[in-house]
Amino acid sequence: LEFVIDSIKTLQEKYTVRRFEFIDDSLPAKFLKKIAEEIIKNNLDIQWCSRANVQEEFKDVEFVKLLKRSGCASLYFGVESGNDRIMKLMKKMQLGKESVQRVMDTVSSQNIQAVTYMMFGFPTETKKEAEESLDFFIKLKRDYHCATSSASAFNLVPGTAVFDHPEEYKITKIHTDTKKASQ
């Protein structure tokens, strides 16, 4: 954390940088809270954005106000699906669509731009579930002015839960040699 704050100070002094993006797959709310507190404590006049998990903390207005005071301009959430069964199968941190909507409500009420990522084609996802998911993202855009950063197709990646435990996702065969897979 000290390294992050020192880096911000150095970049501000040397290059007059005011906008920062904290890049990680997804930063936990507790870490974002620490960053926000340090930014405020050090009187850093910046705007920042970050990827974040949809966690209970984001439903707390005081927590989100703290982020806003520190300069948070946008948060990128890996919602991925708008179907509760698929969210559960993905082992997402949120507890379903209702949880996502409450987070978006709180974040947007503090004028922080919420941005979502969505994914289609997760193993066992049906066409009906994909359509439900798309409808959900349209609802988030309409009701909370959420932007969508990307819509992607599921990709099986080594080291992920799906790759390491394919049977849990009804995957019966994995081709690791792309030459053989294309034959």
Side-chain angles (χ1 to χ4, degrees):
L1 184 58
E2 188 177 322
F3 174 76
V4 172
I5 299 301
D6 288 344
S7 296
I8 291 170
K9 287 177 180 178
T10 299
L11 290 167
Q12 276 193 310
E13 290 168 12
K14 193 168 184 178
Y15 303 106
T16 64
V17 176
R18 285 202 62 246
R19 301 189 79 171
F20 294 85
E21 180 175 2
F22 303 122
I23 299 176
D24 193 272
D25 281 349
S26 184
L27 289 170
K30 289 178 180 163
F31 185 73
L32 291 177
K33 181 179 182 185
K34 289 178 184 176
I35 286 178
E37 290 170 340
E38 288 297 314
I39 289 170
I40 292 167
K41 180 176 142 188
N42 285 276
N43 295 315
L44 300 175
D45 182 22
I46 66 168
Q47 284 189 343
W48 61 272
C49 64
S50 177
R51 293 181 184 147
N53 295 318
V54 178
Q55 294 176 283
E56 289 293 317
E57 288 89 340
F58 290 101
K59 296 176 189 176
D60 177 5
V61 175
E62 293 308 313
F63 169 70
V64 178
K65 281 181 178 180
L66 172 72
L67 298 181
K68 183 66 176 179
R69 273 195 321 273
S70 72
C72 181
S74 57
L75 293 168
Y76 293 71
F77 293 102
V79 175
E80 315 296 8
S81 177
N83 176 273
D84 288 336
R85 184 185 79 81
I86 296 297
M87 282 183 191
K88 185 175 182 180
L89 195 59
M90 287 179 173
K91 298 182 173 121
K92 298 302 292 178
M93 297 182 96
Q94 64 262 20
L95 303 173
K97 292 190 299 188
E98 185 180 317
S99 179
V100 171
Q101 286 176 269
R102 289 185 52 217
V103 165
M104 298 305 153
D105 185 49
T106 305
V107 169
S108 67
S109 76
Q110 298 307 308
N111 295 314
I112 294 175
Q113 174 68 59
V115 181
T116 57
Y117 295 100
M118 57 182 168
M119 179 192 328
F120 295 98
F122 197 79
T124 75
E125 181 181 52
T126 66
K127 180 181 177 189
K128 184 178 178 180
E129 289 169 328
E131 289 169 349
E132 179 186 338
S133 195
L134 184 57
D135 289 343
F136 181 66
F137 283 97
I138 291 169
K139 178 179 175 39
L140 293 178
K141 181 175 177 64
R142 181 188 68 234
D143 295 352
Y144 307 107
H145 306 289
C146 290
T148 299
S149 176
S150 69
S152 60
F154 172 77
N155 188 15
L156 187 60
V157 177
T160 62
V162 180
F163 189 91
D164 293 342
H165 306 284
E167 66 285 350
E168 289 180 30
Y169 302 90
K170 299 184 180 176
I171 295 174
T172 57
K173 192 170 191 177
I174 296 176
H175 296 280
T176 54
D177 183 343
T178 56
K179 289 180 185 174
K180 288 181 183 178
S182 63
Q183 294 175 353

